[in-house]
Amino acid sequence: MARRPLIAGNWKMHLTVPEAERLATAVVASCADLPDREVMIAPPFTALAAVAEVVRNTPVLIAGQNAAWEKQGAFTGEISPVMLREVGASMVIIGHSERRHIFGESNQMVNRRLRGALQFGLIPVLCVGETLADREEGKAMPILEQQVREGLAEVDAEAAARVVIAYEPVWAIGTGRTATGAQAQEAHAFIRNVLARVYEKKLADEIRILYGGSVKPENIDSLMAEPDIDGALVGGAALQSESFDRIVHFL
Ligand code: PGA
């Protein structure tokens, strides 16, 4: 079963509305000749509606960078999955390492957000990844297993088929230090094996697993050559149209 590659740009807390519109216009141009892969961008909330307007009727997909689990309510500072859909998002990043490590989101909270996204019709990109200390202590794989299992708790196979996973080792995010293709492949194959044990092999073989952490034009081709790497979640290099253009055109 062929998994369609997905290249996702995470703009984090960057760009004014006019800057976001300009970058989105460039992304649309980059994607004009790419029928075999999907491209998603996650602007900050303030630019979502404007960016959605720019990509309307193009193949470029829009994502929120996080979402609450309720449709509406007393959740100051949060955004509802229904609100994201209203402005044109079809996907949402859930459990990004910055949410986990700066804002203290637990696997349980990540799971609630993920189930809310599924319930209200968004495709969640569930981020998992070990810290440097986890890796040095030989705990990378158990941590990943726990993040995947707890992140997908109470998600049935039918819903899980819509989930995208992103493996982002915390030590590689924004540090310029990328996992080698072999390190990433090992983690991706491990995650796919966990999915096969939680669900079944056929479903695990269909779920896309992206790599994230200092993805650049210089390393995208070797990462994408690994059999279990189905795409990339790109931060810094997604903010420049030339580098993102090269990344979406991975060989
Ligand atoms: P980076 O960020 O590409 O700047 O390392 C990746 C991410 O946080 O998703």
Side-chain angles (χ1 to χ4, degrees), residues 8-10 12 93 96-98 127 166 168-170 172-177 211-216 232-239:
N10 174 13
K12 307 193 181 187
I93 298 170
H96 188 276
S97 85
E98 286 144 22
C127 302
E168 298 203 299
V170 178
I173 296 179
T175 58
R177 187 175 161 190
Y211 169 79
S214 299
V215 172
K216 300 184 213 57
L233 182 53
V234 187
L239 290 171

Short mmCIF file of all heavy atoms in Angstrom, two decimals, residues 8-10 12 93 96-98 127 166 168-170 172-177 211-216 232-239, ligand 1:
data_model
loop_
_atom_site.label_atom_id
_atom_site.label_comp_id
_atom_site.label_asym_id
_atom_site.label_seq_id
_atom_site.Cartn_x
_atom_site.Cartn_y
_atom_site.Cartn_z
N ALA A 8 5.02 19.07 5.36
CA ALA A 8 4.25 20.01 6.16
C ALA A 8 5.16 21.12 6.67
O ALA A 8 6.24 20.85 7.20
CB ALA A 8 3.60 19.27 7.33
N GLY A 9 4.72 22.35 6.52
CA GLY A 9 5.47 23.49 7.03
C GLY A 9 4.81 24.02 8.30
O GLY A 9 3.62 24.34 8.29
N ASN A 10 5.59 24.06 9.37
CA ASN A 10 5.10 24.57 10.66
C ASN A 10 5.69 25.97 10.85
O ASN A 10 6.88 26.09 11.12
CB ASN A 10 5.53 23.61 11.77
CG ASN A 10 5.19 24.14 13.15
OD1 ASN A 10 4.44 25.10 13.30
ND2 ASN A 10 5.75 23.49 14.17
N LYS A 12 5.09 28.06 13.15
CA LYS A 12 5.24 28.44 14.57
C LYS A 12 4.75 29.87 14.80
O LYS A 12 3.81 30.30 14.17
CB LYS A 12 6.70 28.23 15.02
CG LYS A 12 7.19 26.81 14.71
CD LYS A 12 8.48 26.44 15.40
CE LYS A 12 8.88 25.04 14.99
NZ LYS A 12 10.04 24.54 15.75
N ILE A 93 -1.87 20.27 13.96
CA ILE A 93 -0.71 19.69 14.65
C ILE A 93 -1.10 19.51 16.12
O ILE A 93 -1.62 20.43 16.74
CB ILE A 93 0.52 20.63 14.53
CG1 ILE A 93 0.92 20.81 13.06
CG2 ILE A 93 1.69 20.09 15.37
CD1 ILE A 93 1.96 21.91 12.85
N HIS A 96 2.88 18.96 19.62
CA HIS A 96 4.22 19.38 19.21
C HIS A 96 5.13 19.47 20.43
O HIS A 96 4.68 19.81 21.53
CB HIS A 96 4.15 20.74 18.50
CG HIS A 96 5.45 21.13 17.89
ND1 HIS A 96 6.44 21.75 18.61
CD2 HIS A 96 5.94 20.93 16.65
CE1 HIS A 96 7.49 21.94 17.83
NE2 HIS A 96 7.20 21.45 16.63
N SER A 97 6.40 19.22 20.25
CA SER A 97 7.29 19.17 21.42
C SER A 97 7.32 20.51 22.15
O SER A 97 7.52 20.54 23.37
CB SER A 97 8.69 18.74 21.00
OG SER A 97 9.42 19.84 20.55
N GLU A 98 7.12 21.62 21.43
CA GLU A 98 7.08 22.91 22.13
C GLU A 98 5.84 23.00 23.03
O GLU A 98 5.88 23.62 24.10
CB GLU A 98 7.16 24.06 21.12
CG GLU A 98 8.59 24.18 20.57
CD GLU A 98 8.69 24.58 19.12
OE1 GLU A 98 7.75 25.17 18.56
OE2 GLU A 98 9.75 24.27 18.50
N CYS A 127 2.45 14.58 17.14
CA CYS A 127 3.91 14.66 17.24
C CYS A 127 4.40 13.87 18.46
O CYS A 127 3.84 14.01 19.56
CB CYS A 127 4.35 16.11 17.39
SG CYS A 127 3.83 17.15 16.03
N ALA A 166 4.04 12.36 13.50
CA ALA A 166 5.31 13.02 13.19
C ALA A 166 6.32 12.65 14.26
O ALA A 166 6.09 12.91 15.45
CB ALA A 166 5.15 14.54 13.13
N GLU A 168 9.54 13.59 15.90
CA GLU A 168 10.42 14.76 16.00
C GLU A 168 11.28 14.64 17.25
O GLU A 168 10.85 15.03 18.34
CB GLU A 168 9.58 16.04 16.08
CG GLU A 168 8.71 16.28 14.86
CD GLU A 168 8.36 17.75 14.74
OE1 GLU A 168 7.72 18.30 15.65
OE2 GLU A 168 8.78 18.36 13.75
N PRO A 169 12.49 14.11 17.10
CA PRO A 169 13.36 14.05 18.28
C PRO A 169 13.61 15.46 18.80
O PRO A 169 13.97 16.35 18.03
CB PRO A 169 14.64 13.40 17.75
CG PRO A 169 14.57 13.47 16.25
CD PRO A 169 13.14 13.64 15.87
N VAL A 170 13.37 15.67 20.09
CA VAL A 170 13.43 17.02 20.65
C VAL A 170 14.81 17.63 20.43
O VAL A 170 14.94 18.83 20.17
CB VAL A 170 13.06 16.98 22.16
CG1 VAL A 170 13.15 18.37 22.79
CG2 VAL A 170 11.65 16.43 22.35
N ALA A 172 16.64 17.48 17.97
CA ALA A 172 16.88 17.87 16.58
C ALA A 172 16.05 19.08 16.16
O ALA A 172 16.26 19.63 15.08
CB ALA A 172 16.58 16.69 15.65
N ILE A 173 15.12 19.51 17.02
CA ILE A 173 14.22 20.60 16.62
C ILE A 173 14.89 21.95 16.81
O ILE A 173 15.26 22.31 17.93
CB ILE A 173 12.89 20.55 17.41
CG1 ILE A 173 12.14 19.26 17.08
CG2 ILE A 173 12.04 21.77 17.10
CD1 ILE A 173 10.84 19.11 17.82
N GLY A 174 15.06 22.67 15.72
CA GLY A 174 15.60 24.02 15.77
C GLY A 174 17.06 24.07 16.18
O GLY A 174 17.58 25.15 16.48
N THR A 175 17.73 22.95 16.20
CA THR A 175 19.12 22.91 16.67
C THR A 175 20.12 22.78 15.53
O THR A 175 21.32 22.91 15.75
CB THR A 175 19.33 21.67 17.58
OG1 THR A 175 19.00 20.49 16.82
CG2 THR A 175 18.46 21.74 18.81
N GLY A 176 19.62 22.50 14.34
CA GLY A 176 20.52 22.26 13.22
C GLY A 176 21.09 20.85 13.25
O GLY A 176 21.82 20.44 12.36
N ARG A 177 20.75 20.11 14.29
CA ARG A 177 21.27 18.75 14.44
C ARG A 177 20.17 17.77 14.00
O ARG A 177 19.20 17.55 14.73
CB ARG A 177 21.61 18.55 15.92
CG ARG A 177 22.30 17.26 16.19
CD ARG A 177 22.72 17.17 17.65
NE ARG A 177 22.96 15.77 17.97
CZ ARG A 177 23.15 15.31 19.17
NH1 ARG A 177 23.12 16.12 20.21
NH2 ARG A 177 23.37 14.03 19.36
N TYR A 211 8.99 12.78 9.42
CA TYR A 211 10.14 13.11 10.25
C TYR A 211 10.21 14.62 10.42
O TYR A 211 9.99 15.37 9.45
CB TYR A 211 11.46 12.60 9.63
CG TYR A 211 12.63 13.19 10.39
CD1 TYR A 211 13.01 12.66 11.61
CD2 TYR A 211 13.27 14.35 9.93
CE1 TYR A 211 14.01 13.26 12.37
CE2 TYR A 211 14.27 14.95 10.67
CZ TYR A 211 14.63 14.41 11.89
OH TYR A 211 15.60 15.01 12.64
N GLY A 212 10.55 15.10 11.61
CA GLY A 212 10.74 16.52 11.82
C GLY A 212 11.94 16.77 12.72
O GLY A 212 12.24 15.97 13.62
N GLY A 213 12.61 17.89 12.50
CA GLY A 213 13.79 18.25 13.29
C GLY A 213 14.91 18.64 12.36
O GLY A 213 15.60 17.77 11.84
N SER A 214 15.05 19.96 12.14
CA SER A 214 16.11 20.49 11.28
C SER A 214 16.12 19.88 9.88
O SER A 214 17.19 19.61 9.32
CB SER A 214 17.48 20.35 11.96
OG SER A 214 17.50 21.07 13.18
N VAL A 215 14.94 19.67 9.32
CA VAL A 215 14.86 19.25 7.91
C VAL A 215 15.25 20.44 7.05
O VAL A 215 14.78 21.56 7.27
CB VAL A 215 13.45 18.75 7.54
CG1 VAL A 215 13.34 18.51 6.05
CG2 VAL A 215 13.11 17.48 8.33
N LYS A 216 16.13 20.19 6.07
CA LYS A 216 16.64 21.26 5.20
C LYS A 216 16.74 20.74 3.77
O LYS A 216 16.69 19.53 3.55
CB LYS A 216 18.06 21.65 5.65
CG LYS A 216 18.19 22.17 7.05
CD LYS A 216 19.64 22.59 7.27
CE LYS A 216 20.14 22.38 8.67
NZ LYS A 216 20.09 21.08 9.26
N ALA A 232 7.78 15.05 5.84
CA ALA A 232 8.54 15.85 6.79
C ALA A 232 7.67 16.93 7.40
O ALA A 232 6.76 17.45 6.75
CB ALA A 232 9.74 16.48 6.08
N LEU A 233 7.97 17.23 8.66
CA LEU A 233 7.38 18.39 9.33
C LEU A 233 8.53 19.38 9.50
O LEU A 233 9.50 19.10 10.19
CB LEU A 233 6.77 17.99 10.68
CG LEU A 233 6.07 19.08 11.49
CD1 LEU A 233 5.01 19.82 10.69
CD2 LEU A 233 5.41 18.47 12.75
N VAL A 234 8.41 20.51 8.82
CA VAL A 234 9.54 21.43 8.65
C VAL A 234 9.25 22.74 9.37
O VAL A 234 8.21 23.35 9.13
CB VAL A 234 9.75 21.72 7.14
CG1 VAL A 234 11.02 22.53 6.93
CG2 VAL A 234 9.76 20.44 6.32
N GLY A 235 10.16 23.17 10.23
CA GLY A 235 9.99 24.43 10.93
C GLY A 235 10.75 25.55 10.23
O GLY A 235 10.27 26.15 9.27
N GLY A 236 11.97 25.81 10.69
CA GLY A 236 12.77 26.93 10.18
C GLY A 236 12.84 27.01 8.66
O GLY A 236 12.65 28.09 8.08
N ALA A 237 13.10 25.89 8.02
CA ALA A 237 13.28 25.90 6.56
C ALA A 237 11.96 26.08 5.80
O ALA A 237 11.96 26.24 4.57
CB ALA A 237 13.99 24.62 6.10
N ALA A 238 10.83 26.07 6.53
CA ALA A 238 9.54 26.32 5.87
C ALA A 238 9.23 27.81 5.80
O ALA A 238 8.25 28.22 5.17
CB ALA A 238 8.42 25.59 6.62
N LEU A 239 10.06 28.62 6.46
CA LEU A 239 9.80 30.07 6.50
C LEU A 239 10.43 30.81 5.33
O LEU A 239 10.20 32.00 5.15
CB LEU A 239 10.31 30.66 7.82
CG LEU A 239 9.52 30.25 9.06
CD1 LEU A 239 10.25 30.70 10.33
CD2 LEU A 239 8.10 30.83 9.03
P1 PGA B 1 12.79 22.77 12.74
O1 PGA B 1 11.36 22.55 13.47
O2 PGA B 1 12.62 22.26 11.33
O3 PGA B 1 13.04 24.23 12.80
O4 PGA B 1 13.78 21.95 13.51
C1 PGA B 1 10.62 21.39 13.23
C2 PGA B 1 9.37 21.42 14.06
O5 PGA B 1 9.42 21.90 15.21
O6 PGA B 1 8.30 20.96 13.63
#
